[in-house]
Amino acid sequence: MTHPQGNTTIDDGEIERFSRLATEWWNPAGKFKPLHKFNPVRLDYIRSEIATNFGRDTMQPKPLAGLSILDIGCGGGLIAEPLARLGANVVGADASETNIEVAKLHAAESELEIDYRATTAEDIAAGGERFDVVLALEIVEHVADVDLFLTSCAEMVKPGGLLFVATINRTFKALSFAIVGAEYVLGWLPKGTHQYSKLVRPGEIEAPLKRAGLAMLDETGVVYHPLADEWRLSRDRDVNYMMLARRPEY
């Protein structure tokens, strides 16, 4: 992918890497198997926090009806689709045109209306669009300019709206488990999926979000339990973690 000179969040190498894997997005036993395993816990967390913030009843069939959600770095649509089924008006954005084409095809097969776009956070923000909820899940560690990316995401949150960020901490434990263990020992992810130097600590997320006017609401870890073969929320934030911020109402 080419892009004009100037500030950008696009890391061409990362885009090419995920584009090569695009056909694997919806294979639960394929290269993105860890994300399929990861999805239930993060979806439950996202749905619960959205419902609490906007006063929605999660027992209703479409508790997110009428809410606008931007899933930035949506990949093949693993989060965008279930949110659309819950009634949200979803925009899925990804810098990889290949990922977007895969996402569009799967949404059509699933008879879901999702507005998929091959674009970046900063371009959407520059266009003036604002959303009730912005999701930046497992993407901040793949962008070229973390501050620009997070600032752009924060700008797109409406007053009273939420921003979710999920990523991997830059710790020795994360290096051991998320990179050496997951990529080189267990083979859960293709080698080279993550680079230690690009992992992001919580403070490096919190600072630009606060500068952009958001208030931090929550920070939670996500830990894999091998005996149950599932991911669960945890107080341990040394490896995978999620952060939640809110733009105050004026």
Side-chain angles (χ1 to χ4, degrees):
M1 172 179 286
T2 60
H3 45 81
Q5 294 298 314
N7 291 340
T8 178
T9 62
I10 293 176
D11 183 319
D12 290 325
E14 297 282 4
I15 301 305
E16 290 171 9
R17 186 188 341 272
F18 283 97
S19 293
R20 287 195 299 270
L21 298 171
T23 56
E24 294 278 337
W25 276 109
W26 288 96
N27 179 2
K31 301 291 186 181
F32 292 104
K33 180 179 178 180
L35 284 181
H36 285 268
K37 289 284 188 181
F38 202 40
N39 250 9
V41 67
R42 62 180 184 172
L43 271 171
D44 284 348
Y45 178 78
I46 290 167
R47 179 178 57 186
S48 175
E49 293 294 340
I50 292 176
T52 298
N53 187 70
F54 292 100
R56 300 302 180 91
D57 181 358
T58 57
M59 300 304 293
Q60 294 297 315
K62 293 189 180 296
L64 307 186
L67 294 177
S68 59
I69 298 181
L70 169 65
D71 181 11
I72 189 75
C74 65
L78 298 186
I79 287 288
E81 286 202 9
L83 292 176
R85 288 192 181 93
L86 291 172
N89 300 317
V90 180
V91 173
D94 200 288
S96 166
E97 294 182 8
T98 308
N99 284 347
I100 290 298
E101 290 307 311
V102 170
K104 285 181 177 179
L105 178 61
H106 197 273
E109 292 173 349
S110 304
E111 299 183 347
L112 291 171
E113 291 188 13
I114 298 173
D115 181 1
Y116 281 119
R117 310 176 192 175
T119 187
T120 63
E122 62 269 26
D123 283 349
I124 299 176
E129 286 186 82
R130 300 294 181 263
F131 301 86
D132 295 306
V133 179
V134 175
L135 306 176
L137 311 178
E138 281 71 53
I139 179 178
V140 69
E141 70 272 24
H142 298 293
V143 303
D145 187 329
V146 172
D147 277 9
L148 174 61
F149 175 76
L150 291 171
T151 300
S152 298
C153 288
E155 286 178 3
M156 293 185 284
V157 180
K158 291 180 180 180
L162 300 175
L163 169 62
F164 294 83
V165 181
T167 188
I168 301 173
N169 207 341
R170 193 170 70 253
T171 63
F172 179 76
K173 188 174 181 180
L175 173 63
S176 302
F177 284 87
I179 297 180
V180 176
E183 297 181 19
Y184 291 87
V185 178
L186 298 173
W188 284 356
L189 293 167
K191 295 176 182 178
T193 298
H194 295 104
Q195 301 172 45
Y196 180 75
S197 63
K198 296 191 71 172
L199 302 184
V200 186
R201 292 176 176 153
E204 296 165 349
I205 292 175
E206 185 173 340
L209 296 187
K210 284 185 173 180
R211 286 196 300 269
L214 270 60
M216 306 308 299
L217 293 185
D218 189 36
E219 180 183 334
T220 184
V222 186
V223 173
Y224 179 67
H225 289 255
L227 294 180
D229 190 25
E230 67 180 16
W231 292 83
R232 298 174 184 170
L233 298 182
S234 169
R235 293 181 180 178
D236 182 352
R237 300 184 292 272
D238 288 342
V239 185
N240 296 86
Y241 67 97
M242 293 188 287
M243 299 186 76
L244 174 61
R246 183 177 188 270
R247 181 171 295 285
E249 296 182 64
Y250 302 119

